Structures are given as structure tokens and as C-alpha cells.
Amino acid sequence: MRFNRHRRLRASGAMRSLVRETHLLASDFIYPLFIVEGTDKKVEIPSMPGVFHFSLDRLQEELQEISALGIESIMVFGVPEEKDEQGTQAYAETGIVQQAIAKIKEWAPELVVIADTCLCQYTDHGHCGIIKDGVIDNDPSLELLVKTAIAQAQAGADIIAPSNMMDGFVAAIRQGLDEAGYEQTPIMSYSVKYASSFYGPFRDAAHSTPQFGDRKTYQMDPANRREAIRESLSDVEEGADFLMVKPAMAYMDIIRDIRDHFELPLVAYNVSGEYSMIKAGAANGWIDEKQVVLELLIGFKRAGADLILTYFAKDVARWLQER
């Protein structure tokens, strides 16, 4: 009787490593940073163990650790003390993200600095745009998002990452950057962003929970698959340089769909709820954190992601160094 002996290639660790199809590298990761105003602040976020709020004067030590681990890219989120209806701190020259970007480029010029471009952390209502008659008004919101992107580029951001899901946001920001002289600054579009229940811990971290309603009129319905192709196609046509799927864990089919349809670099956002669930499970002894995280991130890459935005980046980079 003849049959295939697939186990020949699984006989030892060395053999399995030899034929392994998908690999994780520290350079695959984008590590999120939360920057707050004030001084001498390194405060752990209660719902995200191991993730901290940093004031500018405590940021340099964190950058040194990130670089030493071989992580090459970071995403900067700002948490301002002052919020208003227009989210003016998002695009103020002295806004916390603009200050942080300038300091990061001074202290760690080797890092690729990606600026999250949204208004929700900066508005007193917690939505990603301007409110008119109780509705998020798309086109006036674009004007403020363009101002925010330009301010971030002026501060030194290497990549602009708009996460707001307004219609036409890539086209508006691309035109605004070009006209301001930043035609070489890439756009990493949150092209496929679902109205997900996995964002809870992030909203605690960024103080960005909507004060009324929800974001379902501009973020995508989790039930929709073909819509992700339409959204990504619009962003490609409007000038995006990267595409992103957010969240990642429950949306690996979407990651594969986007990879199959488009050639741009693809980012999977391993979001806060995914992170916190694993941390909670590991803290209770229910799962092996290291093995689960490595399996999950390999899954994102196997599905088609080129880059992974993850709060696990430092942990995984350490594990890879230990190997």
C-alpha cells in the first residue's frame, strides 16, 4: 500500500524549522505608544497590562528599549488634557502628538514614526468628526483631518495613518499633504475598520469613548465581507500607500481577501481587546501566553499581513531574541 508520509518533514525541531513557510521578525511589528501631557508619568493602563501612558520626559527610556529589541516602527497616539467640539488639539502646533513626534525624531531618528490621524481622542463628544444636528458631518470633518495630517507631517511624522473612516479621507489628506509640500509622506489607511466590540481597552487608554451613540454610521458592519473590498479599492484609487484591517483576530478572512485583491503593503491591527483577553487568560493560568501569542501573530502573517500593529510587539521581540 502506498500513501504519503507527510510526517517525514515534522520529525524534529530542526526539520520543522527547515520547512517552515511563515516567519515572524521584529521588523514586522509596529508598536503603539500612548503619550499624555504632564511630567514624570509612566502609568500602567489597568485594562491593558504591560501597556503604559508616557509623558514626554519619560518617553526616551521607552524608545531606547524599543530600538534595542529590533522594533523599527511605532504608532503614536495622543491623550490631551483639553478637549473641545472641534478637536483643536489634534492639529495644534503644540498638540501632544506633535510634541511627541518631534522628540521621537530627535531621540530615536532610526524609528519609523507613524501618526494616528483621527479626532476622537481630542473631541469632547468622542466621535471621529464634527457633529451637526446629532450626526457626524463628513465633509467638514475632512477639513480638520487634513489640518491634523499636515501638522503631524510638519512635526516629522514619517507616515500618516488616518483611522477615522470618513468617506474620501484618503483623497482629502493626500491632496492636503501634497499641497503642503509633503508629497513624499506615505498614507497608511485604516481602510477596513469594523465597528467592533474589541476596542474597549483602547478607549479607556485613549479616553475616546463616544459620549453619545456609537460609531456604526462610519465604521463597518462586522457582518460585511464584500464591503471591505469596496472600501480598500476606494483608498487605493485615492492614493493610499498601505492598507489595514482592524481588528485582526476575528477578521482573518478579510485579511486574506485584501491580500488577494491588492498589492499594497497590508497591516493587521491586533487590537486592545484581543491583547487584553490573552493577558487575562494567561494571568489566570488558562493558556500559555507565549505560545498563544506566537500562534496568533503567525496566523495574521499566514493570512496575508505584511506588518502587524500589536501591543505584544516588545514581548514577541524578546522571545525572538531568546531563540
Side-chain angles (χ1 to χ4, degrees):
M1 181 174 63
R2 178 180 174 83
F3 53 89
N4 293 320
R5 293 194 178 275
H6 300 290
R7 290 179 58 191
R8 291 171 181 152
L9 301 184
R10 304 173 193 156
S12 68
M15 182 68 76
R16 293 190 294 274
S17 180
L18 182 68
V19 299
R20 187 161 293 141
E21 300 173 20
T22 309
H23 299 270
L24 288 173
L25 302 171
S27 57
D28 295 332
F29 304 134
I30 302 168
Y31 186 58
L33 287 173
F34 294 97
I35 314 301
V36 297
E37 299 187 64
T39 58
D40 196 26
K41 292 182 180 179
K42 181 182 178 181
V43 181
E44 189 171 38
I45 298 164
S47 58
M48 300 177 70
V51 179
F52 296 83
H53 285 133
F54 290 95
S55 56
L56 288 176
D57 60 321
R58 297 293 301 274
L59 184 57
Q60 191 171 9
E61 60 190 272
E62 180 73 356
L63 299 175
Q64 291 170 345
E65 182 180 13
I66 290 167
S67 292
L69 289 168
I71 298 167
E72 298 177 354
S73 306
I74 57 174
M75 175 83 81
V76 181
F77 296 92
V79 186
E81 289 183 349
E82 296 182 12
K83 300 172 183 261
D84 57 38
E85 187 178 11
Q86 301 286 314
T88 54
Q89 286 300 304
Y91 44 87
E93 184 176 343
T94 58
I96 187 60
V97 160
Q98 283 72 266
Q99 292 185 58
I101 292 169
K103 285 296 185 182
I104 294 166
K105 296 309 294 183
E106 175 187 344
W107 292 331
E110 72 279 4
L111 292 176
V112 174
V113 179
I114 307 167
D116 177 74
T117 306
C118 198
L119 301 176
C120 60
Q121 300 104 294
Y122 305 93
T123 56
D124 54 15
H125 47 72
H127 279 285
C128 304
I130 299 302
I131 305 298
K132 182 178 180 181
D133 299 326
V135 176
I136 292 80
D137 199 351
N138 194 92
D139 295 4
S141 300
L142 293 180
E143 296 177 14
L144 299 187
L145 292 165
V146 170
K147 291 176 66 174
T148 301
I150 292 172
Q152 293 168 339
Q154 288 174 337
D158 297 296
I159 299 173
I160 299 299
S163 59
N164 53 88
M165 290 297 284
M166 296 294 108
D167 289 337
F169 69 95
V170 173
I173 289 172
R174 182 73 274 158
Q175 180 179 347
L177 289 172
D178 290 353
E179 291 177 353
Y182 297 101
E183 64 276 355
Q184 295 301 317
T185 301
I187 295 175
M188 179 182 288
S189 172
Y190 286 64
S191 53
V192 182
K193 183 177 181 180
Y194 285 91
S196 172
S197 298
F198 285 98
Y199 301 151
F202 175 90
R203 291 176 180 174
D204 289 340
H207 303 167
S208 62
T209 302
Q211 297 304 298
F212 67 90
D214 52 42
R215 295 175 178 155
K216 293 181 180 179
T217 64
Y218 46 103
Q219 295 178 0
M220 290 173 51
D221 186 334
N224 291 357
R225 182 176 179 180
R226 296 189 302 272
E227 184 182 5
I229 304 299
R230 299 198 300 273
E231 286 278 1
S232 295
L233 179 59
S234 293
D235 290 357
V236 170
E237 292 174 342
E238 293 173 15
D241 300 281
F242 299 78
L243 300 175
M244 184 188 293
V245 175
K246 178 184 180 183
M249 190 166 71
Y251 298 87
M252 287 198 196
D253 59 325
I254 307 301
I255 295 172
R256 172 45 55 186
D257 283 345
I258 302 304
R259 166 50 61 236
D260 288 344
H261 282 82
F262 303 101
E263 296 297 326
L264 292 180
L266 177 58
V267 183
Y269 194 153
N270 178 208
V271 300
S272 60
E274 299 165 353
Y275 173 87
S276 296
M277 286 192 304
I278 291 174
K279 285 290 187 182
N284 280 282
W286 298 333
I287 57 174
D288 182 322
E289 179 180 348
K290 177 179 177 181
Q291 296 307 318
V292 167
V293 171
L294 291 173
E295 182 177 343
L296 181 64
L297 300 193
I298 278 286
F300 298 152
K301 288 203 71 179
R302 191 185 64 247
D306 300 295
L307 301 169
I308 303 170
L309 177 54
T310 179
Y311 304 95
F312 287 115
K314 292 200 301 181
D315 293 333
V316 179
R318 289 190 193 96
W319 298 333
L320 293 176
Q321 286 184 349
E322 291 169 2
R323 282 184 179 178

